[in-house]
């Protein structure tokens, strides 16, 4: 697994992240933490879309990445998504990273870092078989993705509700 922070994202990468951000906006309609995910194959065809539905479904399994992987596998007609890219607005948690790695997703590109639940702290402990096949790129549209999350949590805290974290 190779993790990089770089500014060499393509126009296609930016377009895909904008679509992931639009999916994250859908989460806000349901008062969910705004996270969106998109899975695209090597031809640029969208195989799966997802947004956070944890509160709606009352399940931690309803993270955006999992919501995107399920239709991607169906549309790809196989569980190995080796030449696909996962675009996600927030750094994946352990569960979502595990699902992406087990699905053999070739590249993960995320926007905002997650200092509490993100993958950075745990990836070095993964067995070499998991580290060999996935490239992780960070920081695409980071400010826009981070601002969406900050605004959500600010609103939650300002209304004295208990914040829901992913």
């Amino acid at each position: 697994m190779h993790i990089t922070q770089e500014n060499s994202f393509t126009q296609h990468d930016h377009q895909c992240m904008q679509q992931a951000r639009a999916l994250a906006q859908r989460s806000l309609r349901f008062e969910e933490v705004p996270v969106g995910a998109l899975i695209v194959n090597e031809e640029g065809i969208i195989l799966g879309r997802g947004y956070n539905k944890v509160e709606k479904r009352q399940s931690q399994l309803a993270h955006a990445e999992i919501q995107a992987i399920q239709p991607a596998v169906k549309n790809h007609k196989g569980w190995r998504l080796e030449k696909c890219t996962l675009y996600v607005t927030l750094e994946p948690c352990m569960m979502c990273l595990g699902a992406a790695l087990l699905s053999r997703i070739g590249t993960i590109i995320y926007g905002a870092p997650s200092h509490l639940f993100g993958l950075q702290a745990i990836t070095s402990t993964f067995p070499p078989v998991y580290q060999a096949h996935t490239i992780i790129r960070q920081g695409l549209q980071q400010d826009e993705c981070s601002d969406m999350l900050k605004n959500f949590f600010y609103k939650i805290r300002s209304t004295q509700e208990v914040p829901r974290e992913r």
Side-chain angles (χ1 to χ4, degrees):
M1 183 171 336
H2 182 64
I3 301 174
T4 63
Q5 178 154 7
E6 53 189 83
N7 294 324
S8 63
F9 294 108
T10 67
Q11 184 63 32
H12 177 72
D13 291 332
H14 281 279
Q15 291 169 344
C16 289
M17 186 59 79
Q18 286 173 332
Q19 289 185 53
R21 286 180 25 229
L23 289 163
Q25 287 289 333
R26 289 187 187 179
S27 298
L28 291 173
R29 294 184 208 151
F30 304 104
E31 298 182 3
E32 299 274 1
V33 176
V35 181
L38 189 76
I39 297 177
V40 179
N41 70 11
E42 65 184 329
E43 290 86 30
I45 297 169
I46 298 170
L47 298 177
R49 294 175 177 87
Y51 58 92
N52 199 18
K53 296 179 182 176
V54 171
E55 297 299 326
K56 182 179 180 180
R57 295 207 175 147
Q58 291 295 296
S59 173
Q60 280 296 330
L61 298 176
H63 284 197
E65 298 93 329
I66 305 300
Q67 299 301 307
I69 289 171
Q70 291 171 334
V73 166
K74 182 178 178 182
N75 291 327
H76 187 63
K77 296 182 174 58
W79 63 269
R80 291 179 184 88
L81 303 172
E82 295 165 325
K83 295 182 180 178
C84 295
T85 300
L86 166 65
Y87 295 89
V88 61
T89 57
L90 180 63
E91 181 179 4
C93 69
M94 287 189 290
M95 175 183 71
C96 293
L97 177 63
L101 293 174
L102 290 170
S103 298
R104 308 251 173 93
I105 290 176
T107 303
I108 300 170
I109 298 177
Y110 69 87
S114 175
H115 303 293
L116 291 176
F117 303 109
L119 57 90
Q120 291 284 348
I122 60 165
T123 54
S124 63
T125 64
F126 285 175
V129 68
Y130 291 119
Q131 296 182 27
H133 62 75
T134 302
I135 297 169
I136 300 172
R137 298 171 66 200
Q138 59 190 6
L140 177 59
Q141 301 178 14
Q142 180 174 334
D143 292 341
E144 296 90 337
C145 294
S146 293
D147 287 347
M148 191 182 314
L149 289 156
K150 287 175 189 174
N151 291 337
F152 172 79
F153 284 110
Y154 176 79
K155 182 180 175 185
I156 292 292
R157 290 179 185 113
S158 68
T159 59
Q160 302 296 324
E161 292 182 26
V162 177
R164 293 175 292 224
E165 297 201 7
R166 203 173 101 99

